[in-house]
Amino acid sequence: MKSWIYSAILPLFAILPATRFFGVKRALLRCAGADIAAEVKLVSSVRVYLGGKLTIGKGSWIGHQTLIVGGKSDVTIGEEVDIAPRVLMATGHHEIATSGRKAAGPGYSLPVKIGDGCWIGANATILGGSTIGDASIVAANAMVKGDFPAKSLIGGCPARVIRSLA
């Protein structure tokens, strides 16, 4: 999958009503190589610039101005996931440079995995190398990096498990 393919497809989203024609949006992303299940609803302002594969499970909602961006790693969103507006999922990173004038060293990419039934709050950031367990909630404005168990309330910057939802 190449990010330029997504870039070529996504401008067509802009001409569609924000919360209608979900089938057309699913078909457009499938043309770009994404694995989009039935009943997925993507708002027209969603943007994907990803070198890896995007997979979204059945019945998930991807909210306004969500940005999925990064390197060659995959982003997997489970079934029945609710993603609020302005969520950022970024798979790309840099090593910290030890010499020279730049702080950012060589780039690399790590996957993002969101389990089934999760709810991701507005403005949350999910960094590459993160796995969010099934039926978890990520609080608004959280900065997520790492592995989190199922049925957790996750929040803060950096994010931590606030409490179990079991």
Side-chain angles (χ1 to χ4, degrees):
M1 176 99 35
K2 303 289 185 199
S3 62
W4 65 266
I5 297 173
Y6 287 121
S7 298
I9 297 290
L10 289 173
L12 299 174
F13 271 44
I15 63 173
L16 297 171
T19 57
R20 294 182 33 212
F21 295 101
F22 297 117
V24 174
K25 295 170 195 173
R26 288 190 300 268
L28 288 169
L29 281 177
R30 287 178 187 135
C31 287
D35 183 5
I36 309 296
E39 301 173 28
V40 169
K41 295 179 178 173
L42 298 115
V43 178
S44 294
S45 56
V46 169
R47 294 293 174 258
V48 180
Y49 305 101
L50 190 64
K53 183 167 186 152
L54 173 63
T55 302
I56 304 175
K58 180 180 177 183
S60 289
W61 169 272
I62 313 298
H64 294 277
Q65 298 179 350
T66 292
L67 176 61
I68 303 170
V69 64
K72 296 178 183 177
S73 292
D74 298 342
V75 171
T76 304
I77 299 168
E79 295 184 0
E80 303 293 332
V81 173
D82 290 302
I83 297 179
R86 295 190 173 205
V87 169
L88 168 64
M89 293 176 217
T91 66
H93 297 277
H94 287 273
E95 294 176 11
I96 296 173
T98 57
S99 63
R101 297 178 64 185
K102 289 179 62 178
Y108 64 96
S109 182
L110 296 169
V112 167
K113 184 172 190 277
I114 300 172
D116 295 339
C118 288
W119 174 19
I120 311 298
N123 293 308
T125 297
I126 302 171
L127 299 176
S130 295
T131 300
I132 300 169
D134 293 346
S136 290
I137 298 172
V138 174
N141 295 304
M143 175 70 74
V144 177
K145 172 77 167 125
D147 295 332
F148 293 88
K151 295 191 177 246
S152 295
L153 174 59
I154 302 161
C157 184
R160 62 179 178 79
V161 175
I162 295 171
R163 70 177 176 94
S164 173
L165 299 173

